[in-house]
Amino acid sequence: MALLVLATLALNCLGGEPSAARVGEPRRLVVMVDERGFESWPGLYELEREFEARHAGLDVVLLEQGGAVGQQDKARFLLAGELQLDVTRIDVTEFGAYLAEGALVDLEPYLRADPSWSAEEYLPVIDGLRDARGHLYGLPSTFTPYVMYFNRDLLRAAGLDAPRAGWTWDEFLAAARATTRDSDGDGRIDQWGVSLTQWLQALSPWIWQNGGELLDEHGERALFHEPQTVAALEFVRSLLHVERVASFDASFEVTFSQGLFQAGRAAFYGPVGYWETYRFKYIDAFEWDVAPLPRAAREATAIAMTAYVVPRTSREPALACEFVRALAGPRFQGLLARIGNGAPGLRSAALSADFLDPQRPPRSEQVFLDVLPTARFLPPLANWRAIADLCAAELAQVLLAEQCDVAQACQSMSRKVDQLLARERERAGLVRLRAGSLEASFALALAAAAALGLALFARSRGRLERGEQRAALVLLAPWSLGAALFFVGPAACTALLALCDWSPLRPLSDTRWVGAANFARLLEDPSFHASLRASVAYAATSVPVGLVLALALALLLREHSRWSVLTRTLVYAPSLLSPVVVAVVWRFVLDPDQGLLNEALLSMGLDAIPWTRSADAVLPAFVLMSCWSVGGQMLVFLAALQALDPQLEDAARIDGAGWWRRLLHVTLPQLSPVLLFNLAIGLLGAFNVFAQPYLLTQGGPGDATRFVALYLYESGFRRLDMGYASAIAAVVFTLLGLSTWLLLRASRRWVHYAARSAR
Amino acid sequence: MKLGAKFWRRVAMALCAYAFLAPLFYMLSVSLQAEGHGLGGSWLAAARDPHWENYVRALERMGDWRRLIANTLLVSVLCVGGQLFTCSLAGYAFARVEFRGRELLFAGVLATLMVPEQATAIPRFLLFRSLGLVDSFAPLVLPSVLGGSPFFVFLFRQYFLALGPELGEAARVDGCGHLRAWWSIFLPLARPMLVTVGLFTFLAAWNDLWTPLIYLMSPEKSTLTLALASFNRSYNTAVELMLAASAMVLAPCLLAYFSLQRLFLRGIAIAAAKR
């Protein structure tokens, strides 16, 4: 009954509009732009104070964006929840998606109304923030073209000059050959010509230089399969596998360890942006600088940029636009340039000493401005996060695999991207989900749960039974209330969304009905299949390995002594760490170049293993990492071992059974319930593993660690395809439920429960 | 011979302890090194010239750390309290009350373990928004207080089953209600399990990042993990400060575990051994 009441209550709540600002409440301006954390905060506070002083009664609220973890997640939730967000900062690779989803406010009318406004004050990069009509939707924060870093000392040692503007691929290759060497004569190359970057935006300059394009001019078809593109990727691949003058640097987000370049073991590093100067400023072992990228048929480079925008959930668009102008104004841009955040979009700041500081390396900062005429954005017509994700597996294969048909991989990329673009075009023609459907599904699920519960309770015979039913109702009430509200209801919404197309940037009212289309796509999606395979492989290895290790540890530490108690604690200690910290620590341990593990292998005379860089080695690396948190399982075994009946083992010993036979025939059968318990929990844990791949490998290399939970998250929050993510959830739920059920059924054969008794 | 076996056992123990401790040890050594070395510096350098001021700087960067600790502690403690209450009640019902549909309902409870958390996050957010509870501790605490993880319901059920069918029978016959039996007979006996579940809950709440990130807005409501996360930028991560802060966040967990270790083990022992 209570549940029914609550269901209707929730229905009303869900249906209600978010409460508008009440009369007399102070006006607020909600800003979420933490530029490079701490160092920019003083500047932000200053802007806040000034703005509040200028606008009496206005409260500027600065929100925390959460660092690299879930950087844009919060904005997604605020938009999905129609909550006030007036100013935020986005990456220009997301601009297309924000624009297409109608998530941004057109700033043009506000800017035109201001006589002091002039777009001329900004470098031409500002055009990357215009829509097809030329309207501005944001102002630049900082940007950086992709350039080539070089180690002047290594070049000098090889008798080479610093690269000049307009140098060619051939000259680049020659320089790379001349600087690749095995300096200690052990047969292994230890100094590389070039340390390459590998993500789509970093690879696109090669394609453009060779005369290729990513999309056609209307943004309707992908052109990866064209010969210039294939040839460009063949060239990059040859650097790695034919010429063997290149190695990979750590990927984009992995900046915890020193890369090859920073360690002075690569002559060139790139194509990469200005952000690397931030960690390279600590280099004092050699002299380094930047140069434009080498050219082929033409000169070209890519631009990375962040921009201040006004999301559609702004309540104060005029004030928000004013705040955006302040953020993109001289003072704050000067501060960002001094911090070393990138080149400021504001012309005066970019040309000032704040950016072109001769005291601070690189010496040729000017290069970042000089290459602008040849620099381009990824076409702002599409969701580049999604396209980059779609291509990631093929690109990894092209670059990493020993054998690869590049043309075929390019065909496959084009096909996948075409499908995405077609789907985005067709979306407008789909039927809208009727308003209130999600709320209804929420309420319906609650009502169904309540009805099921009541049906189970009803028809009780006899007074005693009725009493028991009533007691159960009371005892279970708090838990079921929470489970219904926070679990069953949301799960029902997810189930409905699985049949829809909805992006978290859109209002809920713009949910389109697609029926079973999401599930049909799942059937044909190689990345989803790969993620399922990866999850199954991970579960199939990490769970048994963990079980054996935990059992072995428990057997080792079962005696009662100070030593074993201390060791137990130490073994369990890593399980107390937050997953974020675990990932940071393991990034260090597994780093292929300077990691703890490889150092240990090398010192034992073994070969280093490219843990996070090879699709074959990364799964063992994850299994190893999961072993580190095996403490919990060990405790369960340990606890069960202590509860065993010692007489049984003594009897076996008297009968002459050895250690191994006692373990197999006496101890293990008694432990079988615990084994089952650990197995089931381990299985669920293995399928839900999220934080480690998210923070450590972002699913790579290729799709090797894109486990289902991560794939689900990426689909929903990065590629903004919440319906698809919900469909994945439904499939995972079904598969997990089925396998757990099978496991429990099969367990009847091998699990022996002792007679029920207090221990 | 016997001494030999003991000796090797000790050696194996030392090796295990080392293997599990090494990464933690390196975490500490990196947290003590000079800025700008990333993870490349050696622990010897850190030992020769420990930069203890990293810890002070980390604290300073976290801002109002007293407030952060107070907030995190409040959330964690509320979660623990609520979780223990609802889960032990539900676990008791599933173990001790003979009601119709018990097995089916229990299977339903376990099924909730199988839905990925990321999938239901947005509908849940919309729910809290319409209840007007965004930017409060409620979304962090309420799901624990009212819902509670099905895993813990399961653990309590196991524990109460293991206490034997005779327990409480006499009291029941004397007319003692289930609620009272739960409170005055079963809960006092369930101390090990309360500690176990309490510790698990505490750790989960203390280390949770995503929920606070999404729901909390005002700086004065921020939690420790949120402050920790802002050390982790994509372009420039001050690793030594981040690990120093991590070490400080870890300390209370270690302390809690050390002091409760014995009860913790007993709780697991009893729950794990039963069907």
Side-chain angles (χ1 to χ4, degrees), chain A residues 68 74 81 461 468-469 479, chain B residues 99-100 129 147 178 216 232:
Chain A
K74 194 160 184 155
R461 290 162 235 128
E468 291 284 287
Q469 302 289 56
W479 192 85
Chain B
F99 61 94
R100 218 172 243 270
R129 182 217 54 183
H178 274 300
L216 298 180
N232 189 356

Side-chain angles (χ1 to χ4, degrees), chain A residues 189-492:
Chain A
I189 294 174
D190 47 30
Q191 179 189 314
W192 295 94
V194 50
S195 176
L196 280 173
T197 50
Q198 76 210 61
W199 56 96
L200 182 65
Q201 203 179 10
L203 287 168
S204 54
W206 301 107
I207 296 172
W208 290 328
Q209 286 155 14
N210 209 33
E213 294 291 340
L214 302 179
L215 298 184
D216 71 0
E217 56 201 299
H218 308 293
E220 288 179 355
R221 284 189 52 236
L223 300 176
F224 290 102
H225 56 281
E226 298 217 321
Q228 298 94 324
T229 304
V230 176
L233 291 178
E234 290 273 18
F235 174 72
V236 179
R237 182 180 157 74
S238 75
L239 295 175
L240 290 152
H241 295 283
V242 183
E243 303 286 343
R244 295 186 190 277
V245 295
S247 175
F248 273 126
D249 206 275
S251 77
F252 187 51
E253 263 103 342
V254 184
T255 52
F256 287 111
S257 70
Q258 298 186 330
L260 282 176
F261 185 80
Q262 201 175 358
R265 288 170 50 208
F268 293 102
Y269 171 48
V272 76
Y274 185 83
W275 60 84
E276 297 291 8
T277 61
Y278 192 87
R279 60 185 177 133
F280 290 175
K281 70 184 173 198
Y282 296 105
I283 295 178
D284 44 19
F286 59 87
E287 194 190 337
W288 59 276
D289 205 346
V290 293
L293 297 177
R295 60 171 293 173
R298 59 187 177 194
E299 286 185 55
T301 188
I303 301 190
M305 180 162 86
T306 53
Y308 304 113
V309 294
V310 180
R312 64 170 168 78
T313 55
S314 170
R315 306 259 159 83
E316 306 277 357
L319 284 174
C321 184
E322 195 181 329
F323 200 84
V324 165
R325 286 207 59 193
L327 284 168
R331 198 139 36 88
F332 198 63
Q333 291 262 298
L335 173 73
L336 292 179
R338 279 196 301 283
I339 295 174
N341 216 17
L346 189 69
R347 204 180 284 269
S348 60
L351 297 176
S352 75
D354 286 338
F355 178 63
L356 300 173
D357 182 356
Q359 302 304 316
R360 187 183 52 187
R363 205 195 295 173
S364 313
E365 230 132 16
Q366 185 71 37
V367 165
F368 288 100
L369 305 180
D370 289 346
V371 299
L372 276 186
T374 63
R376 355 157 139 202
F377 290 101
L378 296 170
L381 299 158
N383 183 347
W384 278 99
R385 285 283 169 90
I387 292 181
D389 279 6
L390 281 179
C391 298
E394 274 84 0
L395 285 178
Q397 208 202 351
V398 165
L399 299 173
L400 292 169
E402 287 292 328
Q403 300 292 326
C404 173
D405 183 344
V406 177
Q408 203 181 339
C410 288
Q411 288 279 2
S412 150
M413 282 196 284
S414 279
R415 205 167 42 238
K416 282 190 193 169
V417 174
D418 281 346
Q419 281 171 5
L420 171 79
L421 296 173
R423 215 168 43 243
E424 285 183 353
R425 278 198 303 277
E426 284 157 15
R427 185 183 195 280
L430 296 171
V431 188
R432 267 172 212 268
L433 194 67
R434 191 173 300 162
S437 300
L438 276 173
E439 290 85 344
S441 74
F442 189 100
L444 209 68
L446 251 55
L452 180 71
L454 288 180
L456 289 171
F457 283 122
R459 287 205 318 136
S460 27
R461 290 162 235 128
R463 225 169 63 90
L464 188 68
E465 200 179 336
R466 244 193 331 269
E468 291 284 287
Q469 302 289 56
R470 207 172 302 136
L473 202 60
V474 172
L475 292 168
L476 284 175
W479 192 85
S480 344
L481 184 65
L485 271 183
F486 305 124
F487 185 81
V488 177

Side-chain angles (χ1 to χ4, degrees), chain A residues 592-731:
Chain A
D593 292 313
Q594 291 143 334
L596 203 57
L597 209 57
N598 273 353
E599 299 277 320
L601 286 177
L602 285 174
S603 71
M604 285 190 286
L606 299 168
D607 278 337
I609 298 173
W611 295 108
T612 47
R613 217 173 278 160
S614 137
D616 298 323
V618 75
L619 206 67
F622 268 73
V623 172
L624 211 62
M625 187 160 61
S626 76
C627 286
W628 202 45
S629 318
V630 86
Q633 293 192 32
M634 176 202 66
L635 287 186
V636 175
F637 277 126
L638 207 55
L641 279 173
Q642 288 175 351
L644 287 189
D645 186 355
Q647 288 172 356
L648 280 174
E649 199 164 349
D650 287 344
R653 187 176 298 137
I654 291 165
D655 287 346
W659 183 85
W660 184 245
R661 287 192 54 189
R662 287 205 306 274
L663 176 68
L664 269 187
H665 297 290
V666 182
T667 314
L668 275 187
Q670 289 189 81
L671 284 184
S672 57
V674 187
L675 219 69
L676 175 66
F677 176 83
N678 270 345
L679 190 61
I681 297 301
L683 214 59
L684 288 175
F687 268 89
N688 281 329
V689 64
F690 170 74
Q692 287 89 334
Y694 176 57
L695 295 164
L696 203 65
T697 55
Q698 290 88 46
D703 279 334
T705 55
R706 191 155 285 119
F707 303 126
V708 279
L710 181 62
Y711 191 64
L712 186 156
Y713 167 84
E714 287 183 346
S715 299
F717 292 97
R718 268 174 66 101
R719 291 189 287 278
L720 307 170
D721 201 348
M722 216 57 211
Y724 197 58
S726 304
I728 296 173
V731 171

Side-chain angles (χ1 to χ4, degrees), chain A residues 13 34 36 68 73-74 77 81 256 278 282 456 461 468-469 478-479 486 494 556 569 588 628 677, chain B residues 9 20 35 39 98-100 124 129-130 146-147 154 172 178 210 213 216 232-233 235-236 258 261:
Chain A
C13 288
D34 56 326
R36 177 156 276 172
D73 288 359
K74 194 160 184 155
F77 277 85
F256 287 111
Y278 192 87
Y282 296 105
L456 289 171
R461 290 162 235 128
E468 291 284 287
Q469 302 289 56
W479 192 85
F486 305 124
T494 302
L556 178 68
T569 311
F588 173 39
W628 202 45
F677 176 83
Chain B
R9 201 172 252 261
F20 279 84
E35 91 176 291
L39 291 169
E98 306 278 340
F99 61 94
R100 218 172 243 270
R124 195 174 302 145
R129 182 217 54 183
S130 44
L146 282 179
F154 174 74
R172 300 267 309 125
H178 274 300
W210 216 45
L213 173 67
L216 298 180
N232 189 356
R233 306 274 145 191
Y235 298 157
N236 65 320
F258 266 120
Q261 195 184 10

Side-chain angles (χ1 to χ4, degrees), chain A residues 90-93 125-129 139-144 201 303-307 345 377:
Chain A
I90 60 169
D91 193 290
V92 82
T93 51
V125 291
I126 195 175
D127 294 333
L129 300 170
L139 293 184
S141 167
T142 54
F143 70 90
T144 168
Q201 203 179 10
I303 301 190
M305 180 162 86
T306 53
F377 290 101

